[in-house]
Every structure is written in C-alpha cells, then in structure tokens.
Amino acid sequence: MAFIVSSLQPGECYILFVDSTSSVSLYPNWDYEKADKKIENVHYTRSGRKYSYKWALTTKVKFTVENVTSSTMAMVNTWWASNQNLLFMRQDTTDIFSCQLSNKKTPIGKFVEPYMDEYLGTIELESY
Amino acid sequence: MTYNVTSWFNSALLDNSADIVRKFLIYTTDYSERVTRWPRVKNSWNGVKPQSITIELANEDNLFSFIQTDKTNLSKNCYIKLGLTHPQSGDELVTMFTGTMDKVTYSKGSCRITLKDKFKQLTERVVGNEDLPMSLSNQLPSDIAWTAITCYGGFSDVQSVSNADINWTDFEDWAAVFSGDNVLVGVNIKDKKVSEVLKTISRYTMSAIYVENGKLTFKRFSLADSSYNTFNDDTIIDVSLSIDDEDIINRQYVYGSYDVDSDYWGLQVYEESANSITNYGVREQIEKYNSIWYVDSPSAINLAQRIMSISGNPYDRISIESPIAVGLVHIGDTIAFQDTFFNGATDGMYRLMDYDIDLDKALVKVNVDRTQFGSPFTLDISALDGTDVLI
C-alpha cells in the first residue's frame, strides 16, 4: 500500500502545552467555538424582579483538528487519559487559559482519508 | 446581634450589584474551590440544640485524607462565609457558621463533612450528679444558666464583650429582665446535660437561646427593633401562612416552691384568658419541673402572664422564601411583611423566629410571627403635622 503524506496545516496556530518541553501545535478548523458557562442561581420574585447570583465562570473551548501527526495525537491522547493540567494559548498572544481535555472519548484517533499517518479528532478543553 | 458590614455591603446585596462569594475554611486554609455542594444554615429561636450543616467537597485526589491521618483536625474550627467583592477593596465577608467537624465521610471521589456549632459542647457535658447535685436557691434564671454553661459546660466566664463563647451584651440584657422583675428560681440538677438545662430554662422563661456568629446568645423578646427588613413583591418568591389550633393555651398553671427532700410543691399559680376560654373552650398547660422551679408566686405568675399574653388566640405563622438579597437576617429581627393577598397585621410588622439560608441556591426562608412582638415606638411626623416637618 502506498502512503500519501500531507503537510497541510491551515488556519491559526494554537499551542497546547504542559511546559516549554512538552507542547503541541494545533490548527483548529472553522468550527472553533468558545462556550463559557456561568455557574449561577437566578431567582424571580412575585413582581418579576430578577436576582442573579454568579458564583463562577467555567471556560470551554471546542474545535476539530485535521491532519494531525501521530506524535501530536499520542501526546494529546496521553494528556487526556491522565487528566493532565494544561495551558492553551493562541500563538503570538499572551492570553493563556488553564484547562484540561474534557472529551468523553479519545480526542484524536481517526485517519484522514487517504492518509495513513495523519489523524483527525475533536479537542474539548475546559477550565479547572 | 448584628453582622459587622459596611453600608455598601447591605445596599449592594439588595441591589444585586456586586459579585457574590462563598468561602469554606478549615481553620485558616481556604477550601472553597473544593466545594461541590454548599450547605443550608438554619437557626431557630427555641431549638436549644446544636445546629449542624453538611458540606460536600471534591476529593478525587484524596486531599482531605489529612483529616483521617490526624483526627485531631476534627476539633479545628471551620467557617462558612458569605460576602461580596467590592470593586476596589476586595472581598467583604461575614461568617455564616462556625463549628467543628462532627462527622467526615469519604465516598468515591467525594468528602462530606458535617459541622456542628458551639452548642455541641453543651450536649457533651453533665451538670451535677446524685452525690453532688447543682443545688441553689433564690437565684436569677440567668445566674443558673451562667453557672451551667461556664462551671459545667466549660464556656468562657469572662464577663465582658471579649467573652469568646457567650454574647455578653445580649446576656446582660437578658439577665436584666429577670433582675428587673425580681424573678427567682431554685434548682436541683443532677445527671442532666448542660443543653437539657438550657432547654428547660428556655421553656421556663420563654427565652430564645441559640448560637449566632459563633457565640451563645440569650434573648427574651420585648419591644421589637425599630429598624427592619422589608419583604414585599420585589423580594418575595413564595409565601405561605398557617394557623395551628394547638397554639391555643388559655389557662396556664405554674408550680413552684419545690421541696426536694419531701417532693412537695409549695405553690401553684395560674393565669387564664376568659375571652379565649369562651371562644375555644378550656386549653390548659402546666409548667412543673423538679429540677428548676420558681421560689415565689410573683416569679411564677410572671411566666404564666407572659404565656397568656400571647397564647390565648391562634396566631398567623408566615413562611417567606426570598433571594438572599433581603439581607443577612437574625433571630428576633423586625420584619416588615407587605402583602396584598393575606390579611396581615395592620402595621405589617412581625418578628423573625427562625431562618434557613440555602447557600447553594442563594435562597432565604424565614418564619415570622407576632407572638412575642411589641411594636417599637416610631414618631410619625406626617401624622403630627402633615408636612413632614416636626414643629
């Protein structure tokens, strides 16, 4: 069987990392979504007045990635399996988000047809 | 008793205009981020028992194993705090509950801690015994309580506001009621827990005894405070009113002048409400204890009259649920209940008898009534001159 190897890496580059020696570069697809969630209680009184008590904010990011190398896949999946505390940032910015991989199933695992050494998957990150 | 907060705190709480924060501390270490379920803090004017709360914590990494390893941690003070984040000066917090660990349960990835307040100590210690009972005569009820909680209960006997266990200001006010009326009792107490003694004193003097702000507090309700919290359509989520026929007492007997050696009661007094008897039939109640008794008729009739002044007719018990915005309530607070559905009191004023603050849902449930409510004197300027200017 002949392998077709792709070097395609579209879009903005984001870095998911533990420290300077353990990091991967990810290129989210257009489905990149930031979906923060408020932990709050909301009450309505008899007059309809609203009282909302926001206790905390959890940050969530979800996106798919394609054409991921096997080494990146292995690192991400290992982090996911061990609930590793991670940092996530867009390259060339200083805005860093502390997170864990919150996927229910292995984040990256599918082949990208027709390649046998590139993978696709979904990255779900949630603040801790 | 009041919480020590700034005026900004109260207005921001009511306006819902600042970030709200909850804290859970074991001694001085903050474990707030570990809390998965916040407790309900309850208090009642006549419960006279330890209040307990249960808090659930995330323990997947077994952080809280330090309690199992060193069980002396059980006696460390824990604190539940609630507050607001001031935009400039940071968190402003009030302590909602102080207690020690009564029970710790580890289950799967969770740690559940039950805390009990200072009253717990009084359920663990005994007053008197068969050989050496606590035997006193012609004492103020407040002096009996003081001896029980300090000499037997182990609470601080410092007679100033620096007392760490007892709210000295409230205690002094409470004691002044009995010394003012010259209400005297005798006691013969043996093999009773301190908490049982306090329960009897509470019932025998119609007093509120409870722990608030980490201190044992004593009150005998008289005139209500002229400052009040308002519950109206803007703050009420739900309200209910109940009337209980069992509340009616229209002939109250009080026994006294007990002789321990001969087991003889030297006096019996009673007070009755003729009007109530006509309306509801005779409803009798007896107060008779051989561990504490009034030594003379004026002292005994003092209790009988107090009970008859409030129990001749069934009364409205109003239960109100509100957002926590109504403020940080206390037992005995004056409550202005403004409602168009129920036919409430003419002046709309009630006394808060117990509360249940749900810190997980930011809800407050209070029970109010007018059984021990004396209207405060308020100068109605408009009624005097109609111009809002007092001449």
Side-chain angles (χ1 to χ4, degrees):
Chain A
M1 178 184 281
F3 292 112
I4 302 172
V5 178
S6 166
S7 59
L8 179 66
Q9 298 292 9
E12 295 280 351
C13 179
Y14 285 75
I15 316 291
L16 188 62
F17 61 106
V18 178
D19 51 39
S20 58
T21 61
S22 184
S23 71
V24 295
S25 296
L26 297 170
Y27 298 87
N29 285 331
W30 285 108
D31 61 0
Y32 179 100
E33 182 185 8
K34 193 167 186 291
D36 296 351
K37 188 179 171 187
K38 280 192 285 185
I39 296 174
E40 66 177 348
N41 296 113
V42 178
H43 304 301
Y44 292 92
T45 63
R46 297 197 306 189
S47 68
R49 187 168 169 187
K50 180 185 175 188
Y51 292 87
S52 41
Y53 299 102
K54 192 203 82 182
W55 306 107
L57 192 69
T58 59
T59 304
K60 285 187 176 182
V61 171
K62 184 178 179 181
F63 55 88
T64 57
V65 287
E66 293 181 47
N67 305 99
V68 175
T69 64
S70 58
S71 65
T72 297
M73 176 194 73
M75 195 170 276
V76 168
N77 290 347
T78 303
W79 288 338
W80 169 79
S82 61
N83 286 341
Q84 177 70 50
N85 290 341
L86 301 166
L87 298 165
F88 183 65
M89 63 181 288
R90 188 173 160 181
Q91 197 174 40
D92 303 327
T93 64
T94 55
D95 197 11
I96 297 177
F97 158 46
S98 301
C99 58
Q100 287 183 340
L101 285 154
S102 59
N103 299 59
K104 295 285 184 201
K105 295 190 288 186
T106 312
I108 305 172
K110 271 186 166 179
F111 285 132
V112 179
E113 190 181 355
Y115 311 111
M116 300 296 285
D117 63 347
E118 294 188 8
Y119 300 85
L120 65 83
T122 303
I123 302 291
E124 293 180 37
L125 301 170
E126 189 171 338
S127 59
Y128 62 85
Chain B
M1 177 173 283
T2 56
Y3 291 112
N4 187 20
V5 294
T6 63
S7 56
W8 167 85
F9 186 97
N10 278 333
S11 61
L13 192 62
L14 193 58
D15 292 346
N16 203 204
S17 59
D19 286 343
I20 193 163
V21 286
R22 297 170 289 200
K23 298 276 184 191
F24 170 59
L25 287 85
I26 298 178
Y27 195 45
T28 54
T29 310
D30 189 344
Y31 293 102
S32 307
E33 292 194 346
R34 290 279 174 159
V35 179
T36 56
R37 184 171 183 81
W38 290 88
R40 288 164 64 173
V41 178
K42 300 178 186 179
N43 217 340
S44 166
W45 78 279
N46 61 352
V48 200
K49 62 180 182 182
Q51 297 299 325
S52 66
I53 62 165
T54 300
I55 190 160
E56 289 188 13
L57 305 150
N59 190 41
E60 279 79 1
D61 56 356
N62 214 8
L63 175 75
F64 292 98
S65 64
F66 72 88
I67 305 168
Q68 183 197 6
T69 308
D70 179 4
K71 295 181 178 63
T72 61
N73 280 301
L74 291 174
S75 59
K76 282 185 176 171
N77 264 338
C78 302
Y79 306 91
I80 302 288
K81 300 186 177 196
L82 178 75
L84 300 173
T85 304
H86 192 281
Q88 278 86 45
S89 55
D91 289 348
E92 186 173 337
L93 301 165
V94 294
T95 303
M96 304 298 293
F97 189 90
T98 305
T100 54
M101 286 180 250
D102 188 55
K103 191 175 183 181
V104 181
T105 306
Y106 302 94
S107 176
K108 298 176 183 170
S110 154
C111 176
R112 177 183 292 185
I113 298 177
T114 301
L115 305 176
K116 277 195 175 170
D117 68 18
K118 187 158 279 183
F119 210 96
K120 181 188 174 195
Q121 183 175 316
L122 303 179
T123 66
E124 297 164 340
R125 303 193 183 193
V126 173
V127 179
N129 56 49
E130 200 66 46
D131 295 332
L132 194 61
M134 177 184 172
S135 185
L136 297 164
S137 60
N138 296 324
Q139 300 287 312
L140 296 173
S142 48
D143 288 341
I144 301 299
W146 183 265
T147 303
I149 57 180
T150 58
C151 297
Y152 295 94
F155 276 23
S156 167
D157 61 358
V158 173
Q159 297 187 10
S160 74
V161 292
S162 62
N163 189 308
D165 300 321
I166 301 161
N167 184 322
W168 174 249
T169 307
D170 280 351
F171 184 85
E172 270 197 311
D173 291 345
W174 183 62
V177 173
F178 305 117
S179 59
D181 290 346
N182 199 32
V183 171
L184 299 172
V185 297
V187 296
N188 184 264
I189 303 169
K190 50 194 173 190
D191 302 331
K192 282 188 180 294
K193 295 283 179 67
V194 179
S195 55
E196 292 177 63
V197 174
L198 289 185
K199 179 86 177 172
T200 307
I201 292 173
S202 165
R203 183 178 170 90
Y204 209 46
T205 60
M206 275 204 91
S207 298
I209 304 178
Y210 54 94
V211 172
E212 198 166 70
N213 289 5
K215 291 189 179 187
L216 191 62
T217 301
F218 296 81
K219 276 185 184 160
R220 200 186 202 204
F221 299 131
S222 53
L223 285 183
D225 197 323
S226 56
S227 62
Y228 54 84
N229 285 16
T230 301
F231 287 77
N232 57 24
D233 281 350
D234 273 353
T235 49
I236 295 172
I237 293 172
D238 199 7
V239 63
S240 63
L241 186 150
S242 63
I243 305 158
D244 193 339
D245 181 77
E246 286 191 355
D247 291 333
I248 305 170
I249 299 162
N250 47 36
R251 184 176 293 153
Q252 177 67 51
Y253 294 94
V254 179
Y255 284 70
S257 191
Y258 180 64
D259 188 308
V260 176
D261 295 330
S262 60
D263 193 22
Y264 176 74
W265 296 91
L267 69 89
Q268 180 216 67
V269 299
Y270 75 94
E271 186 78 7
E272 67 178 18
S273 165
N275 190 40
S276 174
I277 290 171
T278 303
N279 289 334
Y280 304 105
V282 175
R283 310 289 183 93
E284 297 176 312
Q285 180 176 264
I286 296 169
E287 295 293 347
K288 184 182 184 182
Y289 303 99
N290 60 9
S291 58
I292 179 168
W293 58 88
Y294 289 112
V295 299
D296 52 32
S297 296
S299 299
I301 204 73
N302 184 290
L303 173 65
Q305 287 174 342
R306 183 170 177 85
I307 293 172
M308 286 319 307
S309 69
I310 62 175
S311 303
N313 293 294
Y315 56 86
D316 297 344
R317 300 166 187 262
I318 298 172
S319 180
I320 309 167
E321 187 176 57
S322 291
I324 214 163
V326 290
L328 302 167
V329 291
H330 304 81
I331 300 291
D333 276 358
T334 307
I335 299 297
F337 173 55
Q338 297 169 0
D339 180 82
T340 50
F341 183 75
F342 293 118
N343 293 315
T346 309
D347 62 3
M349 294 297 191
Y350 294 81
R351 189 186 290 281
L352 191 150
M353 307 307 281
D354 49 71
Y355 61 77
D356 177 350
I357 300 174
D358 188 335
L359 291 171
D360 205 58
K361 296 178 180 168
L363 289 171
V364 176
K365 195 170 189 176
V366 299
N367 289 320
V368 304
D369 64 46
R370 285 172 66 87
T371 51
Q372 297 180 68
F373 184 90
S375 298
F377 173 75
T378 50
L379 184 61
D380 188 342
I381 296 168
S382 300
L384 288 174
D385 59 19
T387 62
D388 288 347
V389 177
L390 184 61
I391 300 170

